[in-house]
């Protein structure tokens, strides 16, 4: 089998296999959660600290947007708006490292007053990241007198792992945690033109986590 034929076969295999991702959700409840009353709000915050990695801003925005969609009608305060209003307590250099430190901040009268101004009921604190775990193959492109094009086959694996800690402002206590782990493989076959077939691991992790957060506030354990 010559090289062009081999790449064509790999292209067909990639199309048949599809770019699927799988998500596993784990939920742990520390305490019962109450329905979010009218006028109450939540804020979705990502891990921010200068000494280590940060949870991606676009992932936090995706979760917040997904929570606002549908029939849940959850009032979600945009992360940047919240951080700016709470300056300097949630800036990168001073942000708390985990959800437990929110309780200490809530004891400061000036901060508690701002929390009340937002009518906050829950914090959703997200820690995690999406990483590339494997990559193989290659795609090369060239231009010649008769034209140009790309040729080859590549694939890569991504893994998204995020944990959302839900903290109740009124009770000043952790309500529970939700973990979302998504894995997927993307393909890049190229016969003249590269055709990326993406698994969209981070996007799928976002939607799965947001949907589970919604049920956390509506479904109570029996």
């Amino acid at each position: 089998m010559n090289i062009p034929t081999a790449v064509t076969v790999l292209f067909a295999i990639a199309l048949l296999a599809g770019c699927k991702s799988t998500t596993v959700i784990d939920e742990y409840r520390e305490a019962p959660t109450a329905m979010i009353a009218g006028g109450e709000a939540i804020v979705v915050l990502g891990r921010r600290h200068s000494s280590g990695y940060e949870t991606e801003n676009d992932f936090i925005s995706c979760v917040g947007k997904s929570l606002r969609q549908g029939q849940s009608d959850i009032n979600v305060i945009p992360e940047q708006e919240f951080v700016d209003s709470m300056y300097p307590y949630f800036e990168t250099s001073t942000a708390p490292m985990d959800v437990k430190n929110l309780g200490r901040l809530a004891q400061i009268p000036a901060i508690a007053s701002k929390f009340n101004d937002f009518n906050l009921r829950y914090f959703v604190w997200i820690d995690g990241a999406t990483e590339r775990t494997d990559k193989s193959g290659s795609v090369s492109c060239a231009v010649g007198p008769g034209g140009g094009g790309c040729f080859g086959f590549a694939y890569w694996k991504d893994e998204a792992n995020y944990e959302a800690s839900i903290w109740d402002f009124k009770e000043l206590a952790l309500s529970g945690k939700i973990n979302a782990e998504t894995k997927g493989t993307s393909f890049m076959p190229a016969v003249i033109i590269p055709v990326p077939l993406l698994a969209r691991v981070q996007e799928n992790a976002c939607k799965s986590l947001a949907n589970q957060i919604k049920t956390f506030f509506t479904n109570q354990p029996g």
Side-chain angles (χ1 to χ4, degrees):
M1 183 181 294
N2 58 34
I3 294 177
T5 302
V7 173
T8 303
V9 171
L10 290 173
F11 183 87
I13 292 173
L15 288 176
L16 290 173
C19 295
K20 298 179 180 179
S21 64
T22 58
T23 301
V24 177
I25 295 286
D26 290 318
E27 178 181 300
Y28 165 74
R29 287 181 182 264
E30 180 76 19
T33 50
M35 294 283 290
I36 299 175
E40 291 184 333
I42 71 172
V43 63
V44 181
L45 300 175
R47 185 185 191 276
R48 305 278 178 260
H49 206 275
S50 57
S51 64
Y53 72 88
E54 296 186 355
T55 303
E56 303 94 337
N57 289 321
D58 55 347
F59 184 82
I60 301 302
S61 297
C62 175
V63 173
K65 181 180 179 180
S66 297
L67 287 173
R68 287 190 292 267
Q69 292 175 341
Q71 299 179 351
S72 58
D73 196 27
I74 298 176
N75 181 18
V76 182
I77 301 168
E79 181 186 37
Q80 195 58 53
E81 177 185 338
F82 178 82
V83 170
D84 291 344
S85 69
M86 300 300 298
Y87 181 85
Y89 297 100
F90 288 87
E91 298 298 316
T92 300
S93 59
T94 56
M97 291 290 287
D98 55 53
V99 71
K100 295 179 181 178
N101 290 317
L102 292 173
R104 299 188 185 97
L105 287 176
Q107 302 301 318
I108 302 174
I111 296 180
S113 177
K114 290 186 177 182
F115 288 172
N116 284 321
D117 290 342
F118 278 115
N119 201 15
L120 278 176
R121 179 60 197 268
Y122 292 103
F123 289 90
V124 178
W125 183 274
I126 298 179
D127 188 355
T130 298
E131 298 179 335
R132 184 148 298 169
T133 58
D134 188 24
K135 184 178 181 179
S136 184
S138 64
V139 173
S140 59
C141 300
V143 178
C150 298
F151 197 74
F153 183 85
Y155 73 88
W156 59 93
K157 296 180 180 180
D158 291 324
E159 181 174 334
N161 199 321
Y162 296 92
E163 182 179 74
S165 299
I166 300 172
W167 195 78
D168 191 329
F169 173 65
K170 287 188 176 180
E171 300 296 331
L172 297 180
L174 179 68
S175 298
K177 295 183 178 183
I178 300 171
N179 182 268
E181 181 179 358
T182 302
K183 298 180 180 180
T185 302
S186 299
F187 301 94
M188 175 78 82
V191 180
I192 308 301
I193 300 174
V195 181
L197 305 171
L198 304 179
R200 305 190 185 282
V201 170
Q202 188 184 76
E203 180 181 341
N204 292 336
C206 159
K207 292 180 178 179
S208 297
L209 185 61
N211 287 336
Q212 194 66 24
I213 291 171
K214 289 179 182 179
T215 64
F216 199 90
F217 296 131
T218 56
N219 295 338
Q220 299 300 314

